[in-house]
Amino acid sequence: MIRLGLVGIGKIARDQHLPAIAADGRYDLAATASRHAKLDGVPGHGEIGAMIAGGHQLDAVSICTPPVGRQAIAIAAIDAGLHVMLEKPPAATATEIMALADHARARGVTLFATWHSREAAGVAAARDWLRGKEIQAARIRWKEDIRRWHPGQEWILEAGGFGVFDPGINALSIMTAILPAPLLLDSARIDVPEGRSSPIAATMAMRSGDAAVDADLDFLQTGPQSWDIEVDTDAGMLRLSMGGSVLELPGGEPVTGEDREYPRLYARFTELVAAGKSDVDIRPLQLVADAFLVAERRTVAPFQF
Ligand code: NAP
């Protein structure tokens, strides 16, 4: 049994983490730390230091706050000897997550930097199908309505909030998992609303081996939403849609499966803790950091939620 502390009770904690923890008999939600929110029947604290000092005999924490500030929270947990599971993106910067990984290793605790989209129903089968095929080109179209999925989350357009890369990094987490060759960024364009710090739209031109990989990310998509990946190969086109949950192979019908992303993440965390291992893959974060390094930057119309 893992006695777990949950940090940052917001949208994703309520939508996904709490149901996944409740359904997994290997976890006991022993305490929470969130500045404003508490859960009925669970001891709640305003911040992680008080939670750690609260005598809950914690084994691990799961951190669901926004990326800025997450590293300090994780350091406090690691210093207390706790295993740590991080929401994506794992930190605000690449150096922060690399330092965290070193710190966890030195203290002998597990660090799990999660990428929930990699657990979507079609992703493992897509990776397996692509193995050994010639990849000719690939496309990401990740277009969603910020007002619908992130209502009132001002932090997302602040510095370090990632803007449209907050969802876009999910596509990059899938791409880096399914493509056989490393994904490198050549150029990018980011559109930042006047008066904001993070982009509302972006494009990325990447390559994987000889294949061009393009990404079109948009946070202002009303009507139908698209979270689609297409990969052209010598055996035809693979399409992953609905955020990786629907897989269509050449000549076949679209296939989907149950949404088990967060139950899988918690199952994997249990395995990592039991094995005394960590899982920290920074490639999706590195690509976003690279985009901020090389992008042509445009200022676009102001945005209000
Ligand atoms: P959210 O609704 O804003 O919740 C985050 C919570 O963290 C807040 O409720 C807040 O609770 C706490 N917090 C601590 N420091 C904060 C700060 N400086 N600014 C704002 N909140 C702060 O955000 P979310 O959608 O749950 O996203 C959290 C993380 O999960 C992000 O990294 C995001 O990429 C990831 N994620 C989100 C989704 C989604 O669909 N929303 C899906 C997958 C992953 P207190 O005020 O009580 O401290």
Side-chain angles (χ1 to χ4, degrees), residues 8-12 34-37 64-67 70 87-89 116 149-150 153 155 166 262:
I9 305 172
K11 187 172 188 304
I12 198 61
S34 207
R35 297 164 310 178
H36 303 97
C64 306
T65 56
R70 189 142 357 104
E87 251 301 348
K88 49 64 52 170
H116 67 88
W149 303 104
H150 306 274
Q153 290 181 357
W155 63 263
D166 176 84
Y262 281 79

